Amino acid sequence: MYKSPDESRIQISELMLPSYTNFGGKIHGGYILGLMDQIAFACASKHSRSYCVTASVDKVNFLNPIEVGELVTMKASINYVGTSSMVVGIRVESENIRTGSKKHCNSSYFTMVAIDDKGKTTTVPGLKLETKMDAKRFIKAIKRRESEAMKNKDLSLVYKNVHEYLDQLKDYRVVIEF
């Protein structure tokens, strides 16, 4: 079975309250991450019709602060599917409800895994790519996975051969005492 991204696309909006702020008076990034995890779960569960768990989160760059009183809207869609995993793309925007001005606050990719009633991974429906944007998102997800695999391979070399990399630290604020 194959499902289109539209069949599981989700959007939520929430008014940002003073109780969500950090010490700087802006909406706490952890609160936003929690909302992002919830929408990723909902989107992945809707696609798979299964309970889903978060396997990983791609980097999250907070591009613009979110203010108290703004309306935050999160949009989520399935960008990629594996056998039991799905990549959920999430876009976060905030809107000043008095002026109507909107700003892009962050985007991220959550890898979710479908789980059956026994706690084992279960197969998810394939993805039906109906638009060029659907195809672009799927291909970008493949490229991110390939890039992550290469990065992990490179990083493991540092652990195995740390002495070969020590000379690169001379321009950093470190003292090597071993």
Side-chain angles (χ1 to χ4, degrees), residues 16 27-36 62 66 74 92 106:
M16 295 294 104
I27 300 304
H28 195 284
Y31 183 76
I32 298 301
L33 284 171
L35 290 177
M36 292 171 76
F62 292 96
I66 300 172
M74 296 187 181
V92 180
N106 67 44

Side-chain angles (χ1 to χ4, degrees), residues 14-153:
E14 184 173 331
L15 184 65
M16 295 294 104
L17 303 177
S19 60
Y20 305 157
T21 59
N22 59 25
F23 292 114
K26 308 298 182 194
I27 300 304
H28 195 284
Y31 183 76
I32 298 301
L33 284 171
L35 290 177
M36 292 171 76
D37 194 45
Q38 288 176 32
I39 195 170
F41 169 83
C43 184
S45 294
K46 189 173 179 183
H47 180 80
S48 67
R49 295 291 176 213
S50 298
Y51 177 75
C52 294
V53 295
T54 306
S56 69
V57 179
D58 198 42
K59 67 181 180 182
V60 179
N61 292 326
F62 292 96
L63 306 173
N64 290 295
I66 300 172
E67 308 289 339
V68 171
E70 290 184 330
L71 184 66
V72 167
T73 299
M74 296 187 181
K75 301 172 184 176
S77 66
I78 301 294
N79 290 1
Y80 170 90
V81 296
T83 304
S84 61
S85 66
M86 298 153 281
V87 173
V88 179
I90 302 170
R91 181 178 173 90
V92 180
E93 296 176 344
S94 68
E95 178 181 357
N96 181 311
I97 55 177
R98 288 182 287 153
T99 66
S101 68
K102 295 181 182 179
K103 58 189 174 187
H104 178 208
C105 298
N106 67 44
S107 293
S108 190
Y109 304 95
F110 280 56
T111 300
M112 308 298 289
V113 176
I115 304 294
D116 67 16
D117 293 337
K118 295 179 179 146
K120 303 292 183 192
T121 59
T122 187
T123 303
V124 301
L127 200 58
K128 186 180 354 173
L129 305 177
E130 297 179 323
T131 68
K132 285 183 182 177
M133 183 57 77
D134 293 344
K136 185 188 293 187
R137 288 177 177 153
F138 195 91
I139 293 164
K140 284 177 73 175
I142 292 170
K143 295 296 184 191
R144 274 192 306 277
R145 290 171 62 94
E146 290 171 352
S147 175
E148 186 67 21
M150 288 299 294
K151 182 174 81 174
N152 288 339
K153 183 179 175 187

